[in-house]
Amino acid sequence: MATKKWGTLVIAASLTLLMLAGCAQNNGNANGNTSGNTQEANNTPSATEAVEEMIDLVVWNTNLGFKPIEKGSQLYELYKDVLGVGVIHPYVEWNGGTAYLNQLNLKIAANEMPDLFKPQQGIEESLAKNGAIADLTDLLPEYAPNLWNLIPEEVWNIVKANDPTGKGRIYYVPGVLDYGRTAGLIRQDWLDELGLSMPTTQEEYVKVLEAFRDQDPNGNGQRDEIPTGGREEARWMDHLFAMYGIAMHEGNPDWDMYDGELTYSAVTPYMKAALAFNARLYKEGLLDPETLLNNKAQWDGKIDANRVGSYFHWAESVGGHLETIQANAGVKGDFAVLPVPKVEGYEGFYTAKRFQGPVWVVKNNKDEKKLMATLKLLNNLYDTNNWEKLFYGVEGMHHVMNNGKPSTLPEDKSTMENKVFAPHNDFDTVEFKKNLFNSIDYGDRKWAIDLNLRNMDENVKYIKTIAGDGLPASIYEGFADINNRTLYVEYATKIILGQFSIDKFDEFVEKWYASGGEEVTKRAREWYAKTNG
């Protein structure tokens, strides 16, 4: 909590600086005035005219351990050719977004905001209110039409409805996902090794987990298998909640219709039942004993060490783990989609959200050329003709050519520069992703890619788009602890660990509503009525 409160103070201090700087920024854009977009006095240069010279931009996005992009590096040169601007991408530790946000706060406080970056934890709302990021409402149609036309109108309408200034403006580029990406996953090869069928009910799933724990499915003669688990703050174990009909996104409880009203899933009886089930698994040694301590690297390491029988993540990315398992253990494994186990009295599903929240925000740059260069980058980034080049990356680093077709190389974080742009993930359809996978010559890696494709098709059967899709972070304004799930994480973890009895859940619900949950729920339901009226 101390880190989060400190980060908030840094944002507040930095915004004061940015507000002062904004007074000097071009054409009044710092205050959300878009007069600069109308080429005031006909002196505003077009995006093309403004970047005839090569402009370098600082871009921040997720980096899970790959090399940074430096001026003149191979990926810098590729992006310069494809996007028409230079891209500098320093390495910033991600760590689930927490370390990234702390470093971003420091840069903002030092008046060194990146030109283009991925926002985290609703930071874009404060930045928009204070004029620190650009109002894109009129800029995108004129200077980035590829992006503007690609995003569906109904998604832009959600962005406008969520404008923290209340003026119906656009301050970020949203992600759009047209299929369910995340799912419970299970080692099909372990099931086959033990002569077990794919579980379809909760009790069948528990029996499978017991077999994974006791019967040495990885065949190394040691009792080192981890039946299932997740990460710190009870995250990335959504498959253990999904069977109870709980809306949850990457371990964060979300909003859906319960008893006919939009309600936060964490305070429903469904959550109480799910936590009781998780506590049972933990007590019986079916959850990783370090489940609530694992960070991403630690949990991924256990999966890659051929020890984990079931986990929750992207259904289409199992190939990467399986290739690493093959390299580490000499085993050609298979993670299949786990059908949502049936529990009597509940309708289970894996949560889908078409609206993926902010992907990019643009610095409200007082340097007109840099602002125009950023818009040029976005326009070229969302030109679908460029997506395959961006996906393949640098020849010899990210892929090689075989028989005239690109063949992607296994991840090597010690040599590969981070592919900071993945528009095929930011605006994603299952058809495009499958076509992209099928267009590549993977050589002897094809078996892993085929499992990705199979899982993409299979997962469609189990997903549901929740009613809270697109709900803005502004509903939590003034209630940071609810936004950060502080109370939920405390009670959920202690219940799972057996430190609290399940009866303490009722106390959590009372505290949640009393500490701001009542007001947050009122705001959420007002938003839902407005957007679905």
Side-chain angles (χ1 to χ4, degrees), residues 188-201:
Q188 179 66 57
D189 56 313
W190 285 14
L191 293 174
D192 296 341
E193 175 68 22
L194 300 178
L196 300 172
S197 300
M198 178 68 75
T200 59
T201 69

Side-chain angles (χ1 to χ4, degrees), residues 159-323:
V159 177
K160 292 177 181 178
N162 293 354
D163 172 15
T165 71
K167 298 178 180 178
R169 310 298 291 178
I170 293 171
Y171 284 96
Y172 59 80
V173 176
V176 182
L177 181 63
D178 273 351
Y179 66 98
R181 179 180 280 157
T182 51
L185 300 159
I186 191 167
R187 285 291 291 267
Q188 179 66 57
D189 56 313
W190 285 14
L191 293 174
D192 296 341
E193 175 68 22
L194 300 178
L196 300 172
S197 300
M198 178 68 75
T200 59
T201 69
Q202 183 185 84
E203 285 311 307
E204 288 175 357
Y205 181 60
V206 170
K207 290 185 182 303
V208 164
L209 296 182
E210 291 171 344
F212 286 173
R213 180 193 61 195
D214 301 332
Q215 298 181 32
D216 190 29
N218 68 12
N220 66 357
Q222 303 177 43
R223 189 168 177 174
D224 63 346
E225 289 83 356
I226 299 170
T228 192
R231 302 189 207 163
E232 54 197 347
E233 298 187 343
R235 294 194 61 199
W236 290 100
M237 44 200 292
D238 304 31
H239 58 304
L240 305 177
F241 294 80
M243 59 187 79
Y244 289 94
I246 292 173
M248 183 171 278
H249 181 64
E250 299 178 0
N252 298 327
D254 219 309
W255 297 75
D256 200 14
M257 302 303 287
Y258 296 96
D259 296 325
E261 292 189 288
L262 190 69
T263 304
Y264 188 49
S265 65
V267 296
T268 64
Y270 304 85
M271 179 62 78
K272 184 176 184 178
L275 288 174
F277 174 65
N278 276 265
R280 169 192 168 191
L281 295 183
Y282 185 85
K283 182 178 180 180
E284 295 176 2
L286 301 177
L287 276 182
D288 178 10
E290 298 176 322
T291 287
L292 303 177
L293 300 174
N294 292 324
N295 61 26
K296 175 177 171 54
Q298 291 165 331
W299 183 231
D300 283 352
K302 292 174 181 180
I303 296 169
D304 292 341
N306 195 33
R307 296 179 59 202
V308 176
S310 181
Y311 75 108
F312 182 87
H313 211 272
W314 289 18
E316 67 196 53
S317 66
V318 299
H321 281 301
L322 294 171
E323 288 183 280

Side-chain angles (χ1 to χ4, degrees), residues 384-430:
T384 56
N385 294 317
N386 293 329
W387 285 10
E388 288 191 8
K389 295 177 185 177
L390 296 170
F391 177 82
Y392 298 143
V394 175
E395 185 176 355
M397 178 186 292
H398 302 108
H399 76 276
V400 294
M401 297 301 293
N402 289 326
N403 301 318
K405 295 182 67 177
S407 176
T408 60
L409 293 169
E411 288 186 353
D412 183 348
K413 295 179 180 181
S414 67
T415 63
M416 290 180 173
E417 296 173 40
N418 190 46
K419 289 191 287 185
V420 65
F421 299 116
H424 53 278
N425 285 335
D426 300 336
F427 182 83
D428 213 346
T429 66
V430 70

Side-chain angles (χ1 to χ4, degrees), residues 133-153:
I133 54 177
D135 179 344
L136 302 173
T137 317
D138 300 321
L139 292 171
L140 293 180
E142 185 169 0
Y143 298 115
N146 290 328
L147 167 57
W148 180 255
N149 294 324
L150 190 65
I151 305 295
E153 182 179 3

Side-chain angles (χ1 to χ4, degrees), residues 90-140:
Y91 178 75
V92 180
E93 183 72 24
W94 180 249
N95 191 24
T98 302
Y100 171 94
L101 180 60
N102 288 339
Q103 291 300 307
L104 182 61
N105 285 338
L106 290 174
K107 284 293 182 181
I108 292 172
N111 202 23
E112 297 176 358
M113 181 188 292
D115 299 297
L116 180 72
F117 62 94
K118 178 184 182 70
Q120 279 290 292
Q121 295 184 22
I123 190 176
E124 70 281 354
E125 296 192 356
S126 296
L127 296 176
K129 288 179 180 178
N130 290 279
I133 54 177
D135 179 344
L136 302 173
T137 317
D138 300 321
L139 292 171
L140 293 180

Side-chain angles (χ1 to χ4, degrees), residues 43 179 233 451 491:
N43 290 325
Y179 66 98
E233 298 187 343
L451 295 181
Y491 276 79

